[in-house]
Amino acid sequence: MKKRAIISVSDKTGVIELARELLNLDFEIISTGGTYKKLVENGVDAILVSEITKFPEIMNGRVKTLHPAIHGGILCDKNNSEHLIEIEKENIKPIDLVVVNLYPFQKTISKENVSIQEAIENIDIGGPTMIRAAAKNFESVSVIIDRNDYGKVINELKHSGNVSLETRKELAKKAFQHTAKYDSYIANYFSGICEEHLPSQMNLALPLISELRYGENPHQKAGFYAEEIIYKKLHGKKLSFNNLQDVDAAFKAIVKFQIRAKFPELSTVVILKHCNPCGIGTAGNLRDAYEKAFATDTMSPFGGIVIVNRTLDLGAALEINKIFTEIIIAPDFSAEALEQLKKKKNRRLLKYEPNQLEKLFPSKIGEDYSQTNPKSIRTCMNGVLVQDEDIGGEDEKNWKVVTNRKPTDVEMARLRFAWKTVSLIKSNGISICDQDRTIGLGMGQPSRIDSTEIALSKAKKFDLSVENCALGSDAFFPFRDTIDLIAKKGITAVIQPGGSRGDEEVIQACNEHDLTMIFTNMRHFRH
């Protein structure tokens, strides 16, 4: 008896070559609508599925393969004598190979202004049903959902006349992963059109991008799973678990801090260590911006990460190159800069596309981004915690000057800088900033006064003056002690969320010291 294959593909790349190879191996080919037409037009002898089912395609192709003549052939266990007797009784022939890929649902819903009806018509029904049936019956049937597997299957058929059990198991695994991913896209789409701010079920189907050497520590196994990679590595060894966390923090920093800044023509540099910024600077060119960022803390950047928002030129590269930096990230590198930076073989150089980051983090100033904002997911006990990423632009209309003295224009620029910065560091977070650079940062302490003292001590340690600077706090001040402390140091402006029972006491302290203070009505805890 001839072996039989059913081929029904949306992506027809390589399908003609596959079908010809199968015919040469004495397979009988069954096909559907568009795939059948493509095969026949290219001289491939194929049988239309309706000739097998004795039933026409109906409902604009919604029903074509959903028939016992097809699924009986796919699900027949050739090692089960009862199955063999039954299909012979019903005049059903076994199907040995199922080649299916699905309607492009994800591509369809990614289009602008796609209608619900168009999305629904791109939900494949017959395809996933055949894939799952074939994968379930992997001991008797091979299933291909990935065109990259065409060659492997053909080679095994040529070599031994059969596809090995190990390969069939591997193909079945890929098939179930494929339908799970496909169903997750559909389920998540329906969560969106049902306007669920938090989906009633979290559906994730992310492919393994790469196995990592280890996790946070050498005894922990780890891997990187993602829909896509948003950077291109130009140089250096593979990124580690900790590197990838730092790169993620760097992208969020450059998006929040500069891509939507008031003056996007400025060059911006963010230096990070252990996911925390340790220096941020803006200037007319990258070299000056880097020098400002580096001056914040000249010790911590060693072995850290630098991200910039402009093509990295040689002048900036030479400054960065004065110490060892693990990773440098830029939209592009000049040829001279690239040549210079590649001399250190263990350094990673990553290139990113700013517009791609905008798509990844799509929230806009003043927007209610509860549905469009990407989700942050963390493991917790036997489950996960899910929240919106804290990347949204903020509407300054919600800011309120609560002191007698209003900020000057220069103070306002310093306050904006401090507020953006403090949203990026670990709680309790304190940022002391000028209008174009960080001066002192304190983070991750059990009390706000501790973080303030660290920020002040950092500035002093690296010979930076805090006089006339602004201070940002990621959450409210419960007491006036911080205000009394910073007033003695010459800080003149404060920005914080407000909302404490001690607000009046804190406002009074600011008025006594002639400080100006803004309540933003938004907190930026980063646990």
Side-chain angles (χ1 to χ4, degrees):
M1 183 186 294
K2 271 192 172 186
K3 290 185 177 181
R4 299 201 306 167
I6 185 164
I7 305 177
S8 179
V9 290
S10 176
D11 177 3
K12 297 175 176 58
T13 306
V15 75
I16 303 301
E17 294 78 7
L18 171 70
R20 286 174 178 158
E21 292 280 11
L22 290 172
L23 286 177
N24 290 336
L25 290 164
D26 205 27
F27 269 74
E28 186 175 78
I29 295 175
I30 305 163
S31 193
T32 60
T35 306
Y36 172 81
K37 183 180 178 183
K38 178 87 171 177
L39 294 175
V40 170
E41 285 175 350
N42 285 271
V44 176
D45 189 16
I47 302 169
L48 194 60
V49 73
S50 58
E51 295 179 37
I52 303 295
T53 63
K54 308 302 181 188
F55 201 91
E57 293 185 12
I58 60 173
M59 302 177 189
N60 303 115
R62 281 190 172 193
V63 180
K64 46 194 174 189
T65 59
L66 298 171
H67 192 280
I70 299 299
H71 286 279
I74 295 172
L75 284 165
C76 171
D77 179 355
K78 294 175 187 174
N79 298 312
N80 186 319
S81 58
E82 291 182 11
H83 284 199
L84 296 173
I85 292 169
E86 201 162 2
I87 64 166
E88 186 174 0
K89 176 185 172 185
E90 301 298 337
N91 197 28
I92 296 171
K93 295 179 181 177
I95 292 173
D96 304 275
L97 176 64
V98 172
V99 182
V100 176
N101 57 57
L102 306 175
Y103 296 165
F105 181 79
Q106 176 69 356
K107 184 178 179 181
T108 299
I109 61 173
S110 297
K111 294 190 299 188
E112 257 187 72
N113 303 317
V114 64
S115 68
I116 293 177
Q117 188 59 38
E118 184 181 356
I120 288 171
E121 288 305 321
N122 277 277
I123 297 175
D124 203 326
I125 301 301
T129 307
M130 286 195 290
I131 289 171
R132 289 175 61 82
K136 173 178 178 174
N137 197 27
F138 71 88
E139 294 208 356
S140 298
V141 180
S142 302
V143 56
I144 306 178
I145 53 89
D146 181 355
R147 65 175 185 264
N148 293 317
D149 290 320
Y150 291 173
K152 181 177 183 179
V153 169
I154 292 297
N155 285 338
E156 289 196 16
L157 287 169
K158 285 181 176 178
H159 179 71
S160 65
N162 290 296
V163 180
S164 70
L165 179 60
E166 284 307 307
T167 296
R168 278 181 270 134
K169 280 195 289 189
E170 183 67 24
L171 293 171
K173 178 200 74 176
K174 289 181 72 171
F176 281 123
Q177 289 173 340
H178 186 60
T179 56
K181 182 178 182 180
Y182 194 75
D183 285 342
S184 74
Y185 286 145
I186 297 168
N188 291 337
Y189 174 75
F190 273 86
S191 289
I193 64 175
C194 291
E195 298 183 356
E196 287 187 335
H197 287 197
L198 282 175
S200 51
Q201 177 174 300
M202 177 58 61
N203 299 290
L204 294 175
L206 301 175
L208 177 65
I209 298 294
S210 63
E211 291 186 18
L212 305 175
R213 288 176 61 206
Y214 50 79
E216 286 180 300
N217 301 289
H219 63 276
Q220 295 169 271
K221 290 184 178 179
F224 177 37
Y225 296 80
E227 196 62 56
E228 60 179 332
I229 299 177
I230 62 169
Y231 60 83
K232 181 180 180 181
K233 184 162 70 69
L234 304 180
H235 174 73
K237 59 186 180 182
K238 284 175 63 175
L239 295 168
S240 71
F241 186 96
N242 292 338
N243 290 153
L244 287 165
Q245 292 192 90
D246 284 329
V247 170
D248 180 65
F251 281 142
K252 289 170 183 172
I254 207 69
V255 167
K256 188 164 190 175
F257 206 90
Q258 177 56 30
I259 289 178
R260 295 190 191 92
K262 293 285 184 181
F263 305 103
E265 70 276 7
L266 290 174
S267 297
T268 295
V269 174
V270 183
I271 306 173
L272 301 100
K273 190 77 170 285
H274 302 309
C275 296
N276 280 303
C278 52
I280 303 173
T282 62
N285 61 75
L286 284 177
R287 179 171 181 160
D288 290 347
Y290 176 78
E291 288 177 344
K292 290 176 183 179
F294 183 71
T296 306
D297 182 339
T298 59
M299 292 178 64
S300 297
F302 185 86
I305 288 184
V306 174
I307 187 167
V308 305
N309 71 324
R310 295 283 181 270
T311 296
L312 188 62
D313 55 50
L314 182 60
L318 290 172
E319 281 301 311
I320 295 170
N321 211 35
K322 288 179 178 178
I323 66 166
F324 176 67
T325 303
E326 282 268 3
I327 305 170
I328 301 173
I329 313 171
D332 207 349
F333 297 78
S334 73
E336 299 85 359
L338 200 58
E339 182 182 3
Q340 183 68 34
L341 295 171
K342 279 184 172 181
K343 291 178 180 178
K344 293 185 179 177
K345 65 178 184 178
N346 288 331
R347 170 185 286 145
R348 289 86 157 184
L349 303 177
L350 307 183
K351 178 180 175 180
Y352 72 93
E353 171 54 55
N355 290 336
Q356 194 173 12
L357 289 190
E358 279 288 271
K359 290 177 183 177
L360 190 65
F361 303 122
S363 51
K364 295 180 174 63
I365 291 174
E367 181 183 7
D368 174 10
Y369 54 93
S370 54
Q371 290 183 56
T372 61
N373 206 44
K375 297 292 185 277
S376 167
I377 302 173
R378 296 184 188 181
T379 58
C380 181
M381 292 174 279
N382 199 31
V384 296
L385 295 170
V386 179
Q387 65 173 349
D388 291 334
E389 282 279 13
D390 184 19
I391 56 167
E394 297 181 48
D395 192 344
E396 291 184 13
K397 288 185 290 188
N398 294 325
W399 293 11
K400 183 181 179 182
V401 179
V402 293
T403 49
N404 294 335
R405 187 170 73 78
K406 296 185 183 300
T408 65
D409 289 346
V410 172
E411 284 176 323
M412 197 68 199
R414 292 168 179 155
L415 289 164
R416 288 191 185 104
F417 203 103
W419 187 239
K420 285 179 181 290
T421 299
V422 81
S423 71
L424 298 169
I425 61 179
K426 296 287 186 181
S427 301
N428 287 309
I430 293 291
S431 63
I432 300 172
C433 299
D434 204 339
Q435 60 186 324
D436 58 357
R437 61 185 290 182
T438 48
I439 299 297
L441 301 171
M443 61 202 78
Q445 299 304 305
S447 77
R448 204 152 294 279
I449 190 72
D450 286 346
S451 291
T452 305
E453 288 172 343
I454 288 172
L456 290 167
S457 69
K458 284 273 192 178
K460 183 178 180 181
K461 180 176 182 178
F462 298 107
D463 296 320
L464 298 175
S465 173
V466 301
E467 195 167 351
N468 297 319
C469 285
L471 178 143
S473 174
D474 63 347
F476 60 65
F477 293 108
F479 310 108
R480 64 175 288 162
D481 51 0
T482 300
I483 303 300
D484 292 331
L485 172 62
I486 65 174
K488 294 175 184 176
K489 304 297 182 180
I491 290 171
T492 65
V494 177
I495 188 165
Q496 57 133 319
S500 168
R501 285 184 296 179
D503 278 351
E504 288 304 317
E505 178 186 331
V506 173
I507 292 169
Q508 182 181 340
C510 285
N511 286 331
E512 288 175 13
H513 296 296
D514 197 32
L515 271 63
T516 182
M517 182 165 65
I518 287 176
F519 282 1
T520 62
N521 297 301
M522 176 179 273
R523 193 180 73 185
H524 281 306
F525 268 169
R526 190 171 289 273
H527 242 46

